[in-house]
Amino acid sequence: MRILLIGSGGRESALAWKISQSPLLEKLVIAPGNPGTAAYGENAAVQVTDVEGLVSLAVEMKADLVVVGPENPLVEGIADDLVSRGIPVFGPRADAAELEGSKAWCKDLLERHRVPTPACRVFSDLNPAISYLEGGARYPLVVKASGLAAGKGVIICQDALSATGAVREMLDEKAFGEAGSTLLVEEFIIGPEASAFALTDGRTLMPLETCQDHKALEEGNNGPNTGGMGAISPNPKVGERMRDTIEREVLLPTLHGMNHEARPFQGVLFAGLILTVAGPKVLEYNVRFGDPECQVLMMRLKSDLVPLMLAVATGKLDECEGPEWDSRCCVTVILASEGYPGKYPTGMPIHGLGDVASGEDLQVFHCGTALEEGHLVTAGGRVLAVTAMGESVSDARERAYAAVDVIDYEGKIFRKDIGEPVEEAAEVVL
Ligand code: GLY
């Protein structure tokens, strides 16, 4: 099979690594890819923002399948364009990608179909928002931009002063552009976080293994939110009962809700959850694999990913066996650039990567790297994802952090507690 993979981050590096192992693969092109993906296929210099260029590339290379890594091209309708040209695509059409493209629409859908989610109010005008925040609102609460804001449009506010400030920034000062022209004011809930993933062709749902992101920049879940500073799988907070509850109360009603509203979803459903004493609640939906959750999932996936993705794209998931998983644990630690998630320098030479003993149990996936005159340099906020398997989480942690120590560049930052048990503020029924 000839496969086009779209994207250039750590998630796409892990997908490219996994797809390249498929016996069905004839050719893999990654657009635009990164220096790491070049080891698994051929990089093509077409950017993820160039939807027309990506579609032309898929046509030219006679792709049998296009796998869309990031959300933006999906929200812009790349799946619709590809399907109209007869090319199977792993990723939802634009009307289904609204699930991530508009948090306000997603919230409405969840409420209409009784999927548990924190209570919220939606605002597009400043005055009603300010009146609510200075009047009846209970604190702390969360202000969220409705549109795509690259993981940055979520602000936890302790009081009316910070909440009105956040709302003014979004609605008045357009800090997040069009993405913040509608916003949500959401109830703040506490509990462990979980990322739940399921493949679906719109009819059959195939939940994947459990995992947990570490979104905060600093140890102990402190500091600003990031795209994710590390992940583990399985998620120690999600036992059998909680898995069943997530499938029954969250994923299935969402899938049925999308069908009911004539927006069938094909691709990977990604629910960002908080596990509360009253059960899981959906903080947000995404329409693609998580980054860095994808890295740990791909390491643990034993089955061939390609037939599953093709079955999702062609509506034949009911003909597939559920995937086989490595029963061991996986930990990924993100190496980032000092300053991230704000401004950070690029072009810092990366040393030591060649000294890491990569293999089946240890992979360093490239996230934001580039080649400058033949030397590998930093090129993003998140630079590398050091990913290791182990018999236990602590075993996997030890292996990952040993490799982290070998890699160096100016301004290297990382969390030292990925996978460490944390004290949770709320007890959870598992
Ligand atoms: N790691 C969270 C995300 O990909 O949105």
Side-chain angles (χ1 to χ4, degrees):
M1 278 177 63
R2 303 167 70 80
I3 299 179
L4 171 61
L5 169 63
I6 295 170
S8 62
R11 166 184 47 218
E12 288 77 23
S13 295
L15 288 172
W17 173 76
K18 186 66 192 167
I19 290 170
S20 71
Q21 295 165 31
S22 174
L24 300 175
L25 187 69
E26 185 193 325
K27 183 181 174 98
L28 173 62
V29 175
I30 309 104
N34 62 39
T37 61
Y40 315 123
E42 194 182 296
N43 287 348
V46 186
Q47 300 306 310
V48 296
T49 45
D50 181 5
V51 170
E52 214 175 295
L54 292 166
V55 173
S56 301
L57 176 61
V59 172
E60 273 160 33
M61 68 173 274
K62 299 188 169 62
D64 300 301
L65 176 67
V66 175
V67 176
V68 187
E71 63 276 17
N72 296 68
L74 292 168
V75 171
E76 279 167 35
I78 194 167
D80 306 67
D81 292 352
L82 289 163
V83 168
S84 71
R85 285 166 175 78
I87 301 174
V89 52
F90 180 86
R93 293 174 184 234
D95 59 2
E98 275 289 274
L99 210 48
E100 179 166 0
S102 167
K103 288 190 172 66
W105 184 82
C106 174
K107 204 74 176 182
D108 265 359
L109 176 101
L110 298 179
E111 282 167 3
R112 278 197 297 278
H113 296 279
R114 297 197 166 77
V115 179
T117 183
C120 107
R121 304 268 299 254
V122 176
F123 296 97
S124 301
D125 295 316
L126 188 63
N127 288 341
I130 300 283
S131 308
Y132 173 65
L133 294 170
E134 290 180 341
R138 285 181 56 192
Y139 291 88
L141 51 70
V142 188
V143 175
K144 286 183 178 178
S146 176
L148 296 182
K152 289 183 191 146
V154 177
I155 302 163
I156 298 167
C157 304
Q158 300 297 336
D159 50 34
L161 189 67
S162 59
T164 51
V167 161
R168 277 184 214 284
E169 249 182 61
M170 284 191 200
L171 293 179
D172 240 11
E173 294 155 30
K174 305 273 175 234
F176 299 101
E178 208 29 50
S181 61
T182 296
L183 58 81
L184 287 72
V185 176
E186 195 177 69
E187 174 194 12
F188 177 77
I189 55 170
I190 24 184
E193 287 196 33
S195 302
F197 295 89
L199 300 183
T200 179
D201 59 359
R203 288 179 302 146
T204 302
L205 186 83
M206 187 181 278
L208 303 182
E209 261 297 339
T210 64
C211 52
Q212 185 186 22
D213 191 8
H214 294 63
K215 278 193 117 28
L217 180 68
E218 293 159 16
E219 284 81 10
N221 291 335
N222 294 309
N225 256 8
T226 69
M229 293 299 289
I232 57 171
S233 178
N235 184 336
K237 301 284 181 192
V238 182
E240 271 308 310
R241 251 175 78 190
M242 184 56 93
R243 276 171 89 131
D244 288 350
T245 310
I246 292 170
E247 182 172 346
R248 201 180 53 250
E249 292 184 7
V250 174
L251 297 170
L252 279 171
T254 306
L255 183 65
H256 295 150
M258 294 295 281
N259 282 331
H260 185 79
E261 309 214 359
R263 300 188 192 216
F265 188 100
Q266 282 177 285
V268 59
L269 263 180
F270 165 11
L273 304 168
I274 292 277
L275 309 178
T276 74
V277 279
K281 292 199 180 191
V282 178
L283 285 188
E284 62 178 31
Y285 257 111
N286 299 306
V287 298
R288 36 87 194 166
F289 278 108
D291 186 346
E293 292 97 321
C294 188
Q295 287 84 317
V296 288
L297 287 176
M298 291 306 115
M299 286 287 275
R300 290 193 60 215
L301 181 63
K302 285 170 87 173
S303 309
D304 188 352
L305 178 64
V306 170
L308 292 173
M309 286 184 147
L310 187 63
V312 163
T314 53
K316 294 183 178 162
L317 198 57
D318 60 338
E319 295 175 13
C320 296
E321 295 277 323
E324 249 192 89
W325 298 95
D326 195 316
S327 60
R328 289 176 301 163
C329 300
C330 189
V331 169
T332 190
V333 179
I334 294 290
L335 303 188
S337 301
E338 195 166 11
Y340 174 75
K343 285 205 175 98
Y344 51 83
T346 57
M348 301 298 159
I350 300 173
H351 309 285
L353 207 50
D355 300 327
V356 174
S358 304
E360 213 179 289
D361 293 347
L362 179 72
Q363 287 292 322
V364 182
F365 296 117
H366 291 230
C367 307
T369 64
L371 282 175
E372 266 177 22
E373 294 169 3
H375 295 291
L376 193 68
V377 298
T378 65
R382 294 190 290 177
V383 178
L384 296 163
V386 182
T387 313
M389 302 284 289
E391 293 303 328
S392 61
V393 179
S394 61
D395 190 22
R397 272 173 49 77
E398 212 169 287
R399 194 169 281 152
Y401 280 107
V404 164
D405 284 344
V406 175
I407 302 166
D408 200 23
Y409 54 85
E410 205 180 313
K412 174 179 107 172
I413 57 164
F414 59 97
R415 267 181 68 162
K416 298 183 181 65
D417 65 346
I418 303 301
E420 255 179 27
V422 281
E423 291 270 317
E424 296 294 348
E427 275 298 306
V428 173
V429 183
L430 296 182

